[in-house]
Amino acid sequence: MAVRIRLKKMGRTHRPFFRVCAMDQRSPRDGRVIEELGFYDPMCPETDARVQLKSDRVDHWISVGAQPSEKVAVLIKKYGTNGTHLDAQKEALERLGKRKEYTPAPPEPPKPAAKEEAPAEEAAAEEKPAEGEAAAETEAAAE
């Protein structure tokens, strides 16, 4: 049995998504896999964050004789164990993580009128003792 490391197409129409898989070369493109080794999302806005590979498993399959397809060979060269784009991939993943922080917070629902009156009463109650203390201080200073 000859094993190939190739892409298995998933996703929907006009929104492709691929899994990098070790498969029998006789099986169809979207057929049964031996092991999934990562994924490739060509629609990701960050070019270097499009591929995630399990490098140790890819190395294992290549060491036992699996042949990567042309496209997968390019991905392994760039993002495999000693890939040429690993630093750029880390930076791209960090930028994608920061994008999620910029999502606006949902608007706060309007507060009921009863809750708004209670803090106003508490604030008025706090001011009255302060006025009383100020009066006591002025009386003490006058004596």
Side-chain angles (χ1 to χ4, degrees):
M1 174 175 79
V3 177
R4 299 278 302 198
I5 301 174
R6 62 186 192 194
L7 297 173
K8 177 180 180 177
K9 188 173 184 181
M10 303 187 81
R12 61 175 197 259
T13 306
H14 305 296
R15 182 65 174 92
F17 184 84
F18 299 92
R19 288 187 181 161
V20 179
C21 301
M23 307 174 79
D24 181 1
Q25 76 176 25
R26 296 171 294 181
S27 65
R29 177 192 71 187
D30 300 337
R32 188 174 61 90
V33 302
I34 299 170
E35 184 179 358
E36 292 179 358
L37 307 173
F39 65 87
Y40 169 61
D41 183 6
M43 302 296 284
C44 183
E46 291 285 343
T47 305
D48 287 317
R50 292 179 178 175
V51 179
Q52 293 289 319
L53 294 175
K54 299 176 186 173
S55 299
D56 57 332
R57 298 305 297 160
V58 171
D59 293 342
H60 165 75
W61 280 106
I62 290 175
S63 70
V64 295
Q67 296 293 315
S69 66
E70 292 179 18
K71 179 69 175 180
V72 172
V74 170
L75 297 177
I76 292 171
K77 182 178 177 183
K78 288 182 178 181
Y79 305 107
T81 303
N82 297 321
T84 57
H85 289 66
L86 290 178
D87 295 332
Q89 183 183 28
K90 287 180 184 177
E91 293 171 5
L93 289 172
E94 287 176 11
R95 285 192 300 270
L96 276 179
K98 289 181 181 177
R99 280 186 175 199
K100 293 177 183 175
E101 295 173 7
Y102 293 120
T103 56
E108 294 183 14
K111 296 179 182 179
K115 289 185 178 178
E116 290 180 7
E117 294 174 7
E121 293 173 1
E122 292 173 6
E126 290 175 346
E127 291 177 10
K128 290 178 183 177
E131 294 173 359
E133 291 173 5
E137 289 176 6
T138 55
E139 291 174 3
E143 294 175 6

